[in-house]
């Protein structure tokens, strides 16, 4: 066991060394680009030197120019071994449309956010999600225009692969892509429930191909097969602000784009009552009687994603997991955990099974929004959930989360996509907001005024429409992890 932990630590040393080399390469490419000016022939000259394609050389040159000129703090993080070229490229892609001054502002804010953050903060997906939120705050008007431009550039691409295979990639607006995936996934699961022996990955690919080719995939889509959640504060829904709109599994989106989605005639609205101090949801406007459905939906709205710190699979594609098992070892359920919001959390199928594997300790506190994962070889990672609504009152900060490793103290860092600081539980204020379960298509939301002195705290969730059921457990060990996270 000790030998394996030493090898894992050595792997981290190698990764940090690679990050420093990536930084050195980008600085050299930026210097070469500055020396030759607009001479595009240098890219051809560098192609055999770097032993990559000409297009990849162009990308690296542009990355070098951008990180040296506009993102000095990100470059410093690379030099220190904290982030490699791939993570840096994810960040640069988000800030690429910004002017130099705004990019430097985001760079400084990102460096502040990453101070005392745990190691999961440096996951490329977490970095990109955090930078999106910073861009939303620093340049909200520009974000809307960039989103419209990106939507205008939607496309379909065919990329030849190896072994007689190719990839078909569709670039779509995030909410439409999410709905498409949900529909195909629901049809694939229906086939699997019917006894089809293909893996879910195979079924999703085959169903998508059949639908595109106009063939019958052998199954009808469930009544509520295509669904995405869009979280919109009531003030943003009423055009009083342009902040706080998020698409689950993706992150922040511009408020004007969110309002366009909301007013679509297929959209369904549901009020989400939030505690104004903590920003956490406490109740849903009910259109259904089944408590289990309400519990599942509230957990999905609250957590948005799989609770593992490095997984961004949307909660709607996850299992509803009892954090304290419903049944105990005696099998009669006595002493087990309740089926409740306070004992539930979303886990994708892979991480749901990982929780119970020998050596793994993956615990989630639904009330505080804290995930703590300890690996079989002793490394511990902690992350925190972001509230659905930005809290309206300040609360004392707790000690920053850390990666706890036996025998050594790791740097403290905060995970993006989770709450920046833990909070000391204050006395609860009464939830605010109004309940409106369905919005008439194409009309403005008619919210009632909140009590004097309190801001409305309602979020609305857009579903198109919802699928409640999850797939049963797969007993075949070959296929037990075939529902891998696509995000």
């Amino acid at each position: 066991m000790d030998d394996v932990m030493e090898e894992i630590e050595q792997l981290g040393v190698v990764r940090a060394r690679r990050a420093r080399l990536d930084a050195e390469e980008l600085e050299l490419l930026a210097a070469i680009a500055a020396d030759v000016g607009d001479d595009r022939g240098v890219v051809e000259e560098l192609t055999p030197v770097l032993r990559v394609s000409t297009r990849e050389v162009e990308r690296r040159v542009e990355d070098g120019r951008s990180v040296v000129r506009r993102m000095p703090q990100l470059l410093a993080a690379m030099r220190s071994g904290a982030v490699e070229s791939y993570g840096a490229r994810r960040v640069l892609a988000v800030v690429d449309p910004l002017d130099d001054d705004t990019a430097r502002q985001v760079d400084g804010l990102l460096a502040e956010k990453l101070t005392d953050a745990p190691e999961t903060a440096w996951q490329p997906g977490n970095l990109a999600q955090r930078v999106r939120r910073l861009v939303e705050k620093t340049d909200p008007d520009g974000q809307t225009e960039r989103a419209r431009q990106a939507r205008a550039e939607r496309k379909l691409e065919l990329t030849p692969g190896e072994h007689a295979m190719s990839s078909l990639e569709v670039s779509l607006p995030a909410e439409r892509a999410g709905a498409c995936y949900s529909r195909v996934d629901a049809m694939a699961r229906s086939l699997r429930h019917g006894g089809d022996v293909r893996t879910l990955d195979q079924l999703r690919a085959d169903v998508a191909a059949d639908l595109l080719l106009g063939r019958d995939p052998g199954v009808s889509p469930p009544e509520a097969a295509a669904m995405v959640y869009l979280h919109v504060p009531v003030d943003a829904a009423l055009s009083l602000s342009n902040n706080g709109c998020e698409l689950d599994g993706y992150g922040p989106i511009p408020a004007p784009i969110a309002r366009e989605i909301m007013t679509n005639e297929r959209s369904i609205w549901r009020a989400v009552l939030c505690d104004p101090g903590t920003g956490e949801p406490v109740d849903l406007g009910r259109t259904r009687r089944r408590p289990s459905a309400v519990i599942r939906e509230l957990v999905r709205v609250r957590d948005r994603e799989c609770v593992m710190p490095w997984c961004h699979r949307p909660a709607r594609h996850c299992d509803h997991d009892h954090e304290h098992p419903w049944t105990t070892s005696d099998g009669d359920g006595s002493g087990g955990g309740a089926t409740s919001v306070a004992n539930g959390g979303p886990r994708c199928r892979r991480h749901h099974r990982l929780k119970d594997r020998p050596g793994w300790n993956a615990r989630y506190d639904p009330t505080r929004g804290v995930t703590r994962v300890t690996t079989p070889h002793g490394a511990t990672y902690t992350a925190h959930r972001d509230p659905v609504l930005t809290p309206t009152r300040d609360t004392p900060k707790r000690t920053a989360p850390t990666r706890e490793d036996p025998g050594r103290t790791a740097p403290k860092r905060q995970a993006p996509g989770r709450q920046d600081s833990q909070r000391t539980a204050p006395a609860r204020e009464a939830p605010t907001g109004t309940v409106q379960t369905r919005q008439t298509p194409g009309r403005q939301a008619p919210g009632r005024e909140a009590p004097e002195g309190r801001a409305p705290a309602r979020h609305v969730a857009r579903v198109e429409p919802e699928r409640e059921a999850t797939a049963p457990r797969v007993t075949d060990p070959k296929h037990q992890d075939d529902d891998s996270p696509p995000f």
Side-chain angles (χ1 to χ4, degrees):
M1 186 70 73
D2 290 341
D3 290 342
V4 174
M5 192 60 209
E6 289 179 5
E7 292 168 346
I8 292 175
E9 291 183 355
Q10 184 61 30
L11 193 61
V13 173
V14 172
R15 184 209 53 75
R17 187 187 310 151
R18 183 169 59 244
R20 289 188 284 269
L21 289 174
D22 286 344
E24 185 177 353
E25 178 184 277
L26 291 182
E27 289 181 278
L28 283 172
L29 289 171
I32 292 172
D35 290 339
V36 302
D38 294 331
D39 182 7
R40 305 297 296 177
V42 72
V43 172
E44 299 293 339
E45 189 173 356
L46 290 173
T47 296
V49 175
L50 295 177
R51 300 184 183 182
V52 293
S53 68
T54 301
R55 181 69 190 101
E56 176 61 18
V57 173
E58 291 175 341
R59 291 192 187 99
R60 293 188 189 184
V61 170
E62 288 304 314
D63 289 347
R65 284 172 168 164
S66 181
V67 76
V68 169
R69 186 179 75 250
R70 293 152 45 98
M71 306 287 286
Q73 297 293 337
L74 180 61
L75 180 60
M78 296 182 69
R79 289 172 181 155
S80 70
V83 60
E84 302 158 77
S85 60
Y86 176 67
R89 181 172 288 182
R90 292 287 301 271
V91 172
L92 294 174
V94 179
V95 302
D96 181 61
L98 303 178
D99 60 64
D100 288 356
D101 289 340
T102 306
R104 292 190 193 98
Q105 184 180 356
V106 172
D107 182 54
L109 291 172
L110 179 63
E112 293 177 8
K113 291 287 186 181
L114 292 174
T115 302
D116 296 330
E119 293 191 6
T120 52
W122 300 91
Q123 293 289 129
N126 290 344
L127 277 175
Q129 193 173 82
R130 171 156 289 185
V131 174
R132 290 190 198 110
R133 292 193 174 96
L134 294 175
V135 169
E136 179 189 33
K137 293 179 180 179
T138 56
D139 188 26
D141 294 335
Q143 184 195 33
T144 301
E145 182 56 36
R146 289 188 295 272
R148 295 194 189 284
Q149 179 62 34
R151 286 168 172 251
E153 295 174 357
R154 57 192 181 276
K155 59 187 177 180
L156 174 70
E157 290 184 312
L158 177 66
T159 304
E162 303 299 330
H163 313 299
M165 295 290 287
S166 293
S167 296
L168 188 65
E169 180 178 355
V170 185
S171 179
L172 290 171
E175 76 283 357
R176 291 178 63 188
C180 289
Y181 182 89
S182 292
R183 182 181 179 88
V184 170
D185 179 69
M187 297 174 74
R189 290 177 184 276
S190 293
L191 288 169
R192 188 61 175 274
H193 296 170
D196 199 303
V197 297
R198 287 172 288 178
T199 68
L200 277 173
D201 279 338
Q202 292 170 341
L203 284 166
R204 281 189 283 255
D206 294 344
V207 166
D210 287 339
L211 291 173
L212 286 172
L213 294 171
R215 296 197 298 244
D216 180 9
V219 64
S220 298
E223 182 180 352
M227 179 263 299
V228 293
Y229 278 144
L230 175 66
H231 304 277
V232 185
V234 68
D235 53 354
L238 297 173
S239 300
L240 300 177
S241 79
N242 286 323
N243 298 319
C245 303
E246 292 207 13
L247 188 69
D248 68 339
Y250 177 80
I253 65 172
I257 300 296
R259 287 191 285 269
E260 290 177 7
I261 297 172
M262 285 166 41
T263 54
N264 184 288
E265 63 180 13
R266 299 291 300 278
S267 295
I268 300 172
W269 286 36
R270 166 160 282 191
V272 180
L273 303 184
C274 296
D275 184 299
T278 65
E280 297 290 359
V282 294
D283 198 6
L284 290 174
R286 286 173 170 79
T287 57
R288 301 175 179 85
R289 288 189 173 183
R290 294 176 57 194
S292 60
V294 172
I295 290 172
R296 283 197 299 270
E297 193 165 357
L298 183 52
V299 168
R300 291 171 185 169
V301 169
R302 179 193 65 195
D303 295 313
R304 280 100 75 198
E305 299 174 340
C306 173
V307 298
M308 286 292 280
W310 45 83
C311 183
H312 295 286
R313 188 174 181 86
R316 66 181 184 273
H317 294 309
C318 294
D319 296 337
H320 180 93
D321 182 33
H322 288 72
E323 294 305 319
H324 182 55
W326 184 73
T327 58
T328 53
S329 58
D330 55 19
D332 63 2
S334 59
T339 301
S340 65
V341 173
N343 190 44
R347 293 179 190 266
C348 70
R349 186 59 54 84
R350 172 177 290 179
H351 292 134
H352 194 171
R353 292 197 175 96
L354 183 72
K355 170 185 172 183
D356 298 321
R357 286 184 179 171
W360 283 90
N361 189 315
R363 294 290 175 260
Y364 174 58
D365 183 342
T367 303
R368 299 170 61 196
V370 179
T371 301
R372 185 182 180 88
V373 181
T374 301
T375 70
H377 298 101
T380 297
Y381 301 92
T382 305
H384 304 267
R385 179 183 68 219
D386 275 332
V388 171
L389 183 72
T390 302
T392 57
R393 65 168 177 257
D394 294 329
T395 55
K397 291 185 178 180
R398 294 184 181 135
T399 304
T402 61
R403 175 187 186 274
E404 301 163 13
D405 213 343
R408 66 188 182 102
T409 301
K412 297 179 179 179
R413 296 172 180 159
Q414 173 64 35
R418 312 291 185 203
Q419 192 170 341
D420 287 342
S421 61
Q422 299 183 10
R423 302 181 182 276
T424 300
R428 293 283 257 197
E429 294 184 13
T432 62
T434 59
V435 175
Q436 177 184 353
T437 57
R438 188 175 295 273
Q439 169 69 15
T440 303
R443 294 185 183 177
Q444 186 76 346
R448 291 195 294 270
E449 292 185 1
E452 184 177 357
R454 293 180 184 168
R458 185 185 64 184
H459 280 228
V460 289
R462 182 251 190 182
V463 292
E464 189 188 13
E466 182 179 3
R467 172 171 53 86
E468 296 292 353
T470 58
R473 291 182 178 268
V474 180
T475 57
D476 185 350
K478 294 182 179 179
H479 301 326
Q480 65 177 359
D481 287 330
D482 63 4
D483 192 17
S484 56
F487 302 96

